[in-house]
Amino acid sequence: MLIFLIENSGRLLGREDLMQAIWPDTTVADEGIAQCIRDIRRALGDAGQQLIRTVPKRGYVFAADVAPYDGSDTPTPRLDYKEARPTVIVLPFRFSTAHEEYLAAGLTEELTTALARVRSLAIFSASVAAPLAAAPAVAAEYAIEGRLLHSGRRIRVTVRLVAMRTQTVLWANRYDGDASEMFGFHEKVTAAITGAVETYLLADETERILDRNISALDSRDLFLRALVNIQRQTVLSTSDAVTLLRRATVRDPGYGPAPAMLSMCLLQQMAQGWRAYHPDAIAETLGFAQQALAADPHDALVLGVAGFVPTWLAGNHELGAELSARATSAGKHSVMILAMTGAVSSIGGDTEEAVGRLERAIQLDQASPIAARLHTNLAGAHFFAGRYDLAVQWARRALAATPDYTVARLYLVAALGLQGDTAAVQQAVAEVQARQVSELPHWPGRIPFRHSWMQEMLDDGLRRGGLGR
């Protein structure tokens, strides 16, 4: 059907036209044709019906521009993503007294340094105190401005992130601390601001391209658009993200974040039971992680994925620990990086390291779109540390936001099973059986824990809950 639509680009095609061309000897219901159109739109990422338009009660029109294919398989030349990075100016924090001046200057410098380590951003700094209106002087797309107040032992910092094109405040917050612990306070505020700026700026960048036609998006835009689907964590949204990321990877094989997140999505599909654990699927998923690392071995996200995927799919804990350490160093204020590296530590048996990374991620952004993953991995870390009550607590928090998150349900069942809470475990098991689509008895063996006692512990908990072998 897609070929026929393309060959007749710009022409209204009714039901009879489609039947004659595609199913001349078969009777197909109208719903069958409509489903075929839906499948094509999903594959093309055409949710807004910009490519295939429906003319009510008459048919369909393929509305995109069409040109003959020249036979070349050469990918689109790689864009200079370093030049295309969003630009952010850090304005000097304002102050009221001479005593506050050096404190404000120190905070401005520390924040600028921390943000400069985020490779996805281009950071500028103003050398003198300036109003927000000064930001356009360096053509910055975003500005960070703040104020420091000091009274006795108390210190307060207010900060906001502004989109310059609309003068919209994307994010704002206030931090209070003790002036006698200035170094620790500066570090805490810098980490919180850096993590928030990266998150909210990314959300704004994504919002800007949501209404654009898929065919007009470059690899980075496709990557950003896929992130929206990834955050929903459903069967369909993950499938849509895979489609977008495959397109981004073909369009520019040298853009590391695209194959990195594609690898993560393919792993997510297997972990959730939405895709079979087939040797070819495993090899493909590992291959995309390796492609990402080869393309950009210094990017924090790429390093995090390149450590996470081989650990979870192939049990390569040594590589996972090494790349996780590098990823944490490069992206120590990133919620996503801390989530991945915390998960690697969790299944590696380094439970306290895992808890530290995951709790830090939650502190940076309690409303993070990946909060369910953070809560699930915390449940796992506490479970293997023998803190079943905390494992139950975090698993339930994960499920409150994402009811279909299978991993969280299984940690919940195992923790309740080892606690001996019969009534609660029966309810949890019923919910798992109602939602899980893969073969439950075989699921636990798919996590390559570093130590055999971890697998035995999980199996025992699931068995007591009525799910294990």
Side-chain angles (χ1 to χ4, degrees):
M1 181 180 278
L2 177 58
I3 292 171
F4 183 65
L5 290 170
I6 291 172
E7 289 174 343
N8 292 273
S9 175
R11 177 186 163 203
L12 175 63
L13 300 172
R15 180 183 185 281
E16 293 305 317
D17 297 315
L18 297 172
M19 289 294 298
Q20 260 188 355
I22 303 167
W23 300 284
D25 303 316
T26 307
T27 300
V28 176
D30 289 345
E31 176 56 28
I33 295 174
Q35 182 60 51
C36 198
I37 291 291
R38 285 195 291 269
D39 290 343
I40 292 172
R41 282 176 174 150
R42 184 176 300 121
L44 296 178
D46 188 30
Q49 300 188 18
Q50 298 298 307
L51 301 179
I52 303 174
R53 294 179 183 166
T54 299
V55 180
K57 298 183 179 181
R58 297 187 62 194
Y60 304 95
V61 177
F62 192 81
D65 293 332
V66 174
Y69 179 51
D70 62 6
S72 170
D73 286 326
T74 304
T76 304
R78 186 179 183 188
L79 299 176
D80 188 343
Y81 293 104
K82 187 173 182 181
E83 294 299 320
R85 294 177 300 175
T87 52
V88 184
I89 184 169
V90 182
L91 298 173
F93 277 65
R94 299 189 300 277
F95 53 88
S96 299
T97 67
H99 176 66
E100 292 172 349
E101 180 177 5
Y102 83 95
L103 298 176
L107 181 58
T108 303
E109 181 178 352
E110 201 164 323
L111 178 60
T112 303
T113 302
L115 286 167
R117 295 194 185 104
V118 181
R119 298 178 72 244
S120 60
L121 305 177
I123 304 299
F124 297 95
S125 64
S127 57
V128 294
L132 187 59
V138 293
E141 299 168 276
Y142 301 90
I144 298 171
E145 66 164 5
R147 183 178 186 85
L148 185 145
L149 297 172
H150 182 210
S151 177
R153 293 176 56 86
R154 303 303 299 165
I155 186 167
R156 170 171 290 178
V157 170
T158 56
V159 64
R160 63 180 190 164
L161 171 67
V162 180
M164 296 304 299
R165 71 185 183 283
T166 60
Q167 292 294 301
T168 302
V169 178
L170 302 177
W171 167 82
N173 209 345
R174 182 183 75 191
Y175 304 93
D176 294 309
D178 190 328
S180 64
E181 301 174 354
M182 185 58 64
F183 180 79
F185 178 69
H186 268 197
E187 186 176 27
K188 172 187 172 183
V189 171
T190 297
I193 295 174
T194 301
V197 165
E198 189 175 4
T199 298
Y200 286 90
L201 189 150
L202 189 67
D204 186 65
E205 289 284 292
T206 303
E207 186 70 26
R208 292 166 64 178
I209 54 99
L210 284 180
D211 293 331
R212 291 170 56 190
N213 193 300
I214 291 289
S215 61
L217 302 181
D218 61 32
S219 291
R220 180 176 180 273
D221 291 339
L222 290 165
F223 166 78
L224 292 176
R225 190 152 173 171
L227 290 183
V228 177
N229 298 100
I230 292 169
Q231 290 164 2
R232 294 178 184 141
Q233 299 185 48
T234 66
V235 177
L236 183 57
S237 69
T238 305
S239 176
D240 288 343
V242 166
T243 300
L244 291 167
L245 292 167
R246 286 189 186 278
R247 184 187 289 255
T249 300
V250 170
R251 188 159 292 181
D252 184 357
Y255 179 59
M261 287 310 296
L262 177 54
S263 179
M264 282 291 291
C265 285
L266 295 175
L267 173 58
Q268 170 82 347
Q269 288 179 322
M270 286 187 277
Q272 287 292 96
W274 303 334
R275 186 180 190 224
Y277 270 79
H278 188 275
D280 290 343
I282 293 173
E284 180 189 36
T285 304
L286 291 169
F288 281 122
Q290 292 164 357
Q291 177 183 333
L293 188 60
D296 194 345
H298 304 294
D299 183 84
L301 175 65
V302 169
L303 287 167
V305 171
F308 180 89
V309 172
T311 302
W312 277 74
L313 269 185
N316 195 337
H317 293 278
E318 290 75 15
L319 177 64
E322 176 193 341
L323 294 180
S324 289
R326 289 170 56 188
T328 304
S329 176
K332 64 181 180 179
H333 302 315
S334 167
V335 174
M336 177 71 79
I337 301 305
L338 291 168
M340 286 189 290
T341 58
V344 168
S345 297
S346 180
I347 70 166
D350 298 320
T351 55
E352 299 314 312
E353 181 178 71
V355 169
R357 286 174 173 172
L358 296 166
E359 287 185 342
R360 178 176 170 79
I362 292 172
Q363 289 167 2
L364 287 175
D365 186 4
Q366 295 188 13
S368 169
I370 62 168
R373 295 188 186 187
L374 294 170
H375 298 163
T376 297
N377 290 326
L378 260 175
H382 285 300
F383 174 81
F384 291 117
R387 297 186 284 264
Y388 305 130
D389 54 338
L390 290 175
V392 168
Q393 173 187 324
W394 286 110
R396 283 181 167 153
R397 289 187 64 176
L399 293 169
T402 314
D404 288 331
Y405 211 54
T406 302
V407 182
R409 288 201 180 278
L410 294 179
Y411 277 138
L412 175 61
V413 171
L416 290 171
L418 292 178
Q419 274 187 325
D421 190 336
T422 305
V425 81
Q426 286 176 348
Q427 180 181 350
V429 168
E431 291 172 350
V432 171
Q433 292 172 332
R435 292 179 176 273
Q436 174 66 9
V437 296
S438 65
E439 297 178 14
L440 282 170
H442 300 290
W443 186 90
R446 287 175 176 160
I447 297 183
F449 296 112
R450 187 166 198 167
H451 307 291
S452 59
W453 63 264
M454 299 175 73
Q455 184 66 68
E456 292 166 2
M457 186 175 176
L458 181 60
D459 285 348
D460 185 31
L462 291 175
R463 187 164 47 247
R464 295 190 190 192
L467 289 182
R469 290 186 288 269

